Amino acid sequence: ACGLASLRGAEVVQVSDEEGNVWTGESELDKPLRGDVRKLELRLDPAQYHTDAKAMADGAGADVYQSFNVLLRRKPKENNFKAILEAIRELLTTPLATPPWLHDVLLGYGDPAAAAYWSLPADQRVTKHDFADTFLDLDHVRASFPGCDVRLAPDG
């Protein structure tokens, strides 16, 4: 049979060479890799692995993890899922960006109704917000809030 039989995604945790030098891309202790042989330590998708293991146990699937033969690497600019998660984490740790009552909702385990304006105690309701560098210019602000009366506060 020809063609792609299965496809699995993984995150590269670290790369090592034949001498055991490790490169993670995140540490000052990373050593330059030598030679032409590389060993990749991968973090597999646990949900997909569970599905595959169940299929193998039921006799409905082969062990695809013993037959990897192609590894594709996308450019970091195109493969930005991890970068998006890091940006959310950074937003959550920046006091200017998000109020504490919104953190649980952004993380996906809070009750969205609890973050509704009318559900908040009066002292936590937002009456004005500093958008910092969110918008390019006044036209961008107006385009982002169609049908709203956008007013600029006087300087000071």
Side-chain angles (χ1 to χ4, degrees):
C2 295
L4 183 65
S6 58
L7 176 69
R8 299 295 179 266
E11 177 185 359
V12 176
V13 176
Q14 70 180 24
V15 181
S16 58
D17 63 16
E18 49 202 8
E19 296 177 11
N21 295 315
V22 174
W23 185 82
T24 63
E26 298 178 359
S27 173
E28 298 173 357
L29 303 175
D30 285 348
K31 296 181 180 179
L33 300 178
R34 299 179 182 183
D36 296 327
V37 177
R38 300 289 183 260
K39 177 182 173 186
L40 301 173
E41 182 180 323
L42 302 175
R43 184 172 293 130
L44 300 172
D45 175 3
Q48 183 62 55
Y49 186 83
H50 174 76
T51 302
D52 291 338
K54 188 171 181 343
M56 285 188 303
D58 295 342
D63 185 1
V64 297
Y65 300 97
Q66 296 298 321
S67 62
F68 281 152
N69 61 4
V70 176
L71 176 68
L72 299 174
R73 180 178 178 204
R74 297 182 59 174
K75 296 177 186 172
K77 185 167 65 172
E78 296 169 356
N79 191 17
N80 63 6
F81 185 72
K82 184 175 181 181
I84 290 171
L85 292 177
E86 288 173 352
I88 290 172
R89 181 180 64 203
E90 185 178 320
L91 275 173
L92 290 175
T93 58
T94 304
L96 172 67
T98 56
W101 49 263
L102 190 55
H103 289 187
D104 288 349
V105 175
L106 284 177
L107 290 172
Y109 57 81
D111 177 15
Y117 178 79
W118 54 85
S119 298
L120 295 173
D123 65 327
Q124 290 185 0
R125 292 183 181 171
V126 177
T127 57
K128 61 182 180 177
H129 184 73
D130 180 2
F131 287 100
D133 61 353
T134 304
F135 301 101
L136 301 172
D137 54 27
L138 184 57
D139 290 334
H140 187 202
V141 174
R142 289 193 170 121
S144 299
F145 297 98
C148 294
D149 181 23
V150 176
R151 299 181 196 177
L152 297 180
D155 289 346

